[in-house]
Amino acid sequence: MEAVVTGKRMEVLLDEPTIQQRVQALGQEITADYQDKELVLITVLKGSVVFAADLVRSIELPLTMEFMGLSSYGDDTKSTGVVRVTLDLSKPIEGKHVLIVEDIVDTGLTMQYLLRNMATRNPASVGVCTLLHKPARQKVDVPLDYVGFTIDDHFVVGYGLDYQQRYRNLRMIGHMVDG
Ligand code: IMP
Ligand code: MG
């Protein structure tokens, strides 16, 4: 699939079967790790929604879903680490096993904020599952329990990830190249 964005071309980084296979495997790992635990999946809006929708269907455990709205101040492609909560959890997570579902860990600043925020609510445990990890740009160390794919330093879109709110509905993950 190719789409033209202001003089740029989209190049496929991860195609649909590759993503689906990996998400299935992550679901199986999570299923094995959380046996007999009360699992609460916390999906970070908006980028992680597509990933979470597929992931939950590959987890064979009773679970509940919660959503956290976070918006980081910054320009289009860089986060500043200053995070604003736009939607909070609807239920307390005290004593629950929490798994945060993120689309991408880039600088790690958003995840650091989220982990600190969750810790104040006394969950039994907090795990992190991110579809993508971009270690080249990471500024702070955050524990990542499940990583779908480690990628090079590209700004990627698709499968939930956006550029100026667009491209979230692509089935693949791609990046913009000049041309
Ligand atoms: P961090 O705080 O720098 O780790 O960035 C976290 C957020 O920035 C992610 O949850 C995304 O919403 C956004 N982000 C970072 N890198 C990308 C990218 O390559 N494509 C789309 N969004 C990105
Ligand atoms: Mg995000």
Side-chain angles (χ1 to χ4, degrees), residues 27-135:
Q28 284 165 10
E29 254 189 81
I30 293 164
T31 303
D33 294 348
Y34 285 88
Q35 293 289 321
D36 308 315
K37 295 204 171 122
E38 229 183 301
L39 181 59
V40 182
L41 246 77
I42 299 185
T43 301
V44 183
L45 300 177
K46 307 171 191 165
S48 311
V49 164
V50 177
F51 172 41
D54 283 339
L55 185 67
V56 287
R57 284 176 288 177
S58 63
I59 299 174
E60 291 174 47
L61 293 172
L63 58 81
T64 61
M65 292 182 80
E66 285 289 331
F67 297 89
M68 186 91 185
L70 293 181
S71 166
S72 58
Y73 294 106
D75 63 23
D76 295 330
T77 58
K78 283 188 186 68
S79 100
T80 54
V82 183
V83 177
R84 188 164 56 102
V85 175
T86 57
L87 178 77
D88 202 0
L89 306 180
S90 72
K91 291 237 162 61
I93 52 167
E94 186 165 355
K96 303 278 169 67
H97 292 276
V98 164
L99 184 62
I100 297 172
V101 179
E102 245 300 27
D103 51 359
I104 185 164
V105 172
D106 185 27
T107 62
L109 292 165
T110 305
M111 189 53 73
Q112 183 181 60
Y113 172 85
L114 198 54
L115 286 168
R116 287 180 179 161
N117 184 303
M118 291 302 123
T120 64
R121 307 177 197 222
N122 302 315
S125 70
V126 182
V128 176
C129 176
T130 185
L131 178 67
L132 304 174
H133 182 210
K134 240 194 258 183

Side-chain angles (χ1 to χ4, degrees), residues 14-23 159 171-173:
L14 299 163
D15 65 13
E16 187 180 6
T18 306
I19 296 169
Q20 290 301 330
Q21 228 173 49
R22 186 69 189 118
V23 173
Y159 198 66
R171 290 172 179 271
M172 54 88 181
I173 291 172

